[in-house]
Amino acid sequence: MANWFKNIPQAAVEYLDGKRLDEVECVISDLPGIARGKAVPAKKFDRQDFFHLPDSIFYQTITGDWADAADEDGWIEKDMTLKPDLSTASAAPWTGDWTLQVIHDAYDRDGSPIPYSPRNVLRRVVDLYRAKGWEPVVAPEMEFYLVDRNTDPRREIRPMMGRSGRPAAARQAYSMTAVDEFGPVIDDIYDFAEAQGFEIDGITQEGGAGQLEINLLHGDPIKLADEVFYFKRLIREAAMRHDCFATFMAKPIADEPGSAMHIHHSVIDIETGENIFSGPQGGETDAFYHFIAGLQTHLPAGLAVMAPYVNSYRRYVKEQAAPINLEWARDNRTTGIRIPLSSPAARRVENRIAGMDCNPYLGIAVSLACGYLGLTREERPRRQFKGNAYDGDGDIPQVMGQALDLFDEAHELRDVLGEEFARVYATVKRAEYEEFLQVISPWEREHLLLNA
């Protein structure tokens, strides 16, 4: 085996035990979270320390078009240097041969991190925490739908057929019978996750027809973002093996709940190893309230990143399991910021705003950045909300254009994330939004053609 095998995770070593590695997929996340890169023969990977891709991969919209986001050098598609992080080496167990995936980091010709590479954006925010003596900890929850194969964009998305031969039913939250309907797909998800060395904390049926949730154990933000990045691919591959699609759209089916990526946050004092949200006697600290305030104050401007598409805003509907405001409360799932039941050592803050359609690196980065601003500025939250938050008014943007306007004006948040990232991201998202506005919808044709 090559020398680099000494530095890969044990799960990857066990996956290849007694096998000959055929190929290595060298991957990196673009802004939407699509895996870009190259597949190379294993022998070539043995000999290479890096490879090149043009920086224009970060200027692409979700449709594959390019936004005018190049820097002052102009549209010359400069080569980036992509270097492997061998700690991310992971099996690709759905392939026909023995293949590993390895996530790479992007650098410019001077060796500096590319500021708009999503993994670098998250690392920048994590490093800001560490410079203060803090270690951020996150635990993402992933919601998604298993749906009938859909190759015609004009046709509405329908739930998949279960083992019983009937379409998946709605309003069956936490039903074990409903989970059993997807048994073969879930079996493959578990098998793929085990081969990749990922530990699933649990799979549950959510409220939508064919909607599932996977919880991951808490840990390092970059490692967890890597896992979500990998999970979205493995879940899609598992679904296609069983003649269905997995979708991470925020709102794929009308009148059904949307899919979120809830993010649980805690922060550890590096010197003491203690949770800074809890005091010596187990009480809630000022830092706990500062973090909540940071989310309340800055998340509206960060919504353009955590709700990155026009479809994302269809999720924020009253009584549809998604928040409509940024109230906070203890053990209350109607608020945008929830404090789960926990021991003082495990005290945490749950951000329920982010959609599952967001890039996991960027969604986690923005959530952490808002909390960081609250901590460093010692901001104070509004009073804890009592009752059903759906009875209150919404205080988050309702459309993509409004969210982008807030993001453009959020100088403190943009500074934490990196101004060059913010410039490129906003440019790409404006291009996507303008393209969407050129599309005439069936609703418009039905109601305006002869009536307007």
Side-chain angles (χ1 to χ4, degrees):
M1 290 290 187
N3 287 334
W4 59 270
F5 262 70
K6 300 174 183 177
N7 299 314
I8 67 175
Q10 185 61 29
V13 174
E14 293 174 358
Y15 174 71
L16 292 173
D17 186 31
K19 312 294 192 305
R20 183 178 67 84
L21 178 63
D22 291 301
E23 190 173 72
V24 178
E25 295 178 346
C26 307
V27 298
I28 187 170
S29 168
D30 67 1
L31 290 187
I34 298 169
R36 306 282 181 183
K38 294 181 179 180
V40 301
K43 289 184 178 179
K44 180 176 180 181
F45 189 80
D46 289 346
R47 300 191 300 267
Q48 76 177 29
D49 297 320
F50 59 86
F51 76 101
H52 295 297
L53 281 182
D55 61 1
S56 59
I57 68 166
F58 295 118
Y59 307 155
Q60 278 193 281
T61 66
I62 192 68
T63 66
D65 289 330
W66 277 268
D68 186 16
D71 60 20
E72 65 273 8
D73 291 336
W75 188 271
I76 61 175
E77 294 195 280
K78 292 178 288 189
D79 264 342
M80 304 180 295
T81 299
L82 272 65
K83 298 181 181 180
D85 181 346
L86 293 175
S87 71
T88 69
S90 175
W94 49 83
T95 58
D97 52 17
W98 297 96
T99 301
L100 289 182
Q101 309 168 84
V102 180
I103 294 172
H104 285 54
D105 287 313
Y107 302 87
D108 64 19
R109 64 190 65 183
D110 297 321
S112 299
I114 298 293
Y116 34 82
S117 173
R119 199 167 189 251
N120 288 341
V121 175
L122 177 54
R123 182 175 287 112
R124 172 190 174 93
V125 177
V126 170
D127 285 346
L128 288 174
Y129 273 82
R130 290 172 179 165
K132 295 289 187 181
W134 301 324
E135 188 67 39
V137 177
V138 302
E141 299 174 352
M142 302 180 294
E143 295 176 348
F144 60 96
Y145 276 86
L146 295 175
V147 300
D148 190 27
R149 291 178 71 94
N150 186 320
T151 58
D152 183 358
R154 295 169 297 181
R155 181 168 67 83
E156 290 187 354
I157 295 171
R158 296 194 293 254
M160 70 167 285
M161 289 289 181
R163 289 191 308 156
S164 65
R166 302 171 65 187
R171 294 174 290 280
Q172 297 296 325
Y174 308 109
S175 165
M176 295 309 300
T177 300
V179 170
D180 289 342
E181 281 286 279
F182 319 122
V185 182
I186 291 175
D187 287 345
D188 275 351
I189 290 173
Y190 273 125
D191 290 344
F192 289 167
E194 183 178 2
Q196 293 187 247
F198 303 150
E199 189 170 353
I200 296 175
D201 198 36
I203 295 182
T204 57
Q205 164 74 24
E206 281 294 312
Q211 188 183 33
L212 297 173
E213 177 180 285
I214 293 179
N215 298 334
L216 301 181
L217 295 177
H218 65 274
D220 173 76
I222 298 172
K223 181 178 182 295
L224 268 299
D226 288 340
E227 289 192 13
V228 176
F229 175 63
Y230 274 145
F231 255 108
K232 291 178 100 168
R233 188 179 186 194
L234 81 83
I235 292 168
R236 287 191 180 102
E237 292 289 344
M240 285 192 288
R241 278 194 170 193
H242 299 278
D243 200 34
C244 64
F245 287 166
T247 180
F248 301 95
M249 283 178 66
K251 186 77 168 183
I253 303 175
D255 300 322
E256 298 283 3
S259 291
M261 185 181 74
H262 298 155
I263 308 169
H264 293 249
H265 291 285
S266 56
V267 181
I268 303 302
D269 184 298
I270 293 175
E271 185 176 340
T272 66
E274 301 294 328
N275 185 346
I276 71 169
F277 292 166
S278 296
Q281 306 303 317
E284 295 162 343
T285 62
D286 286 343
F288 171 75
Y289 292 106
H290 295 331
F291 193 96
I292 293 171
L295 296 183
Q296 283 190 325
T297 303
H298 304 284
L299 275 180
L303 197 66
V305 180
M306 290 185 292
Y309 306 107
V310 288
N311 176 262
S312 308
Y313 297 82
R314 301 186 189 279
R315 179 175 149 253
Y316 305 115
V317 179
K318 282 190 176 185
E319 312 297 345
Q320 288 280 329
I324 61 168
N325 55 45
L326 288 168
E327 302 294 350
W328 76 274
R330 296 174 177 85
D331 195 26
N332 184 339
R333 285 183 168 83
T334 69
T335 57
I337 302 167
R338 171 177 173 258
I339 311 305
L341 297 175
S342 70
S343 67
R347 181 168 284 124
R348 60 195 185 274
V349 178
E350 179 187 5
N351 173 1
R352 298 176 60 82
I353 292 290
M356 196 60 229
D357 53 347
C358 77
N359 181 309
Y361 298 103
L362 299 181
I364 293 172
V366 165
S367 196
L368 284 172
C370 293
Y372 176 83
L373 286 170
L375 286 167
T376 56
R377 292 165 53 87
E378 298 186 351
E379 295 171 339
R380 303 298 301 182
R382 302 192 291 267
R383 287 187 177 184
Q384 180 184 185
F385 188 86
K386 301 291 186 180
N388 185 343
Y390 292 129
D391 294 337
D393 296 326
D395 60 5
I396 59 177
Q398 293 298 296
V399 294
M400 187 72 193
Q402 182 187 7
L404 285 169
D405 289 344
L406 290 177
F407 185 67
D408 286 344
E409 299 164 3
H411 302 296
E412 293 169 332
L413 180 62
R414 291 167 69 101
D415 185 59
V416 173
L417 299 171
E419 181 56 39
E420 183 64 2
F421 157 72
R423 180 192 69 81
V424 170
Y425 183 85
T427 303
V428 170
K429 289 300 163 183
R430 289 280 184 194
E432 285 180 357
Y433 187 51
E434 290 167 7
E435 182 177 353
F436 171 80
L437 291 177
Q438 303 306 311
V439 177
I440 308 301
S441 70
W443 185 94
E444 293 166 278
R445 288 191 290 271
E446 178 179 353
H447 298 289
L448 304 181
L449 179 66
L450 298 179
N451 296 329

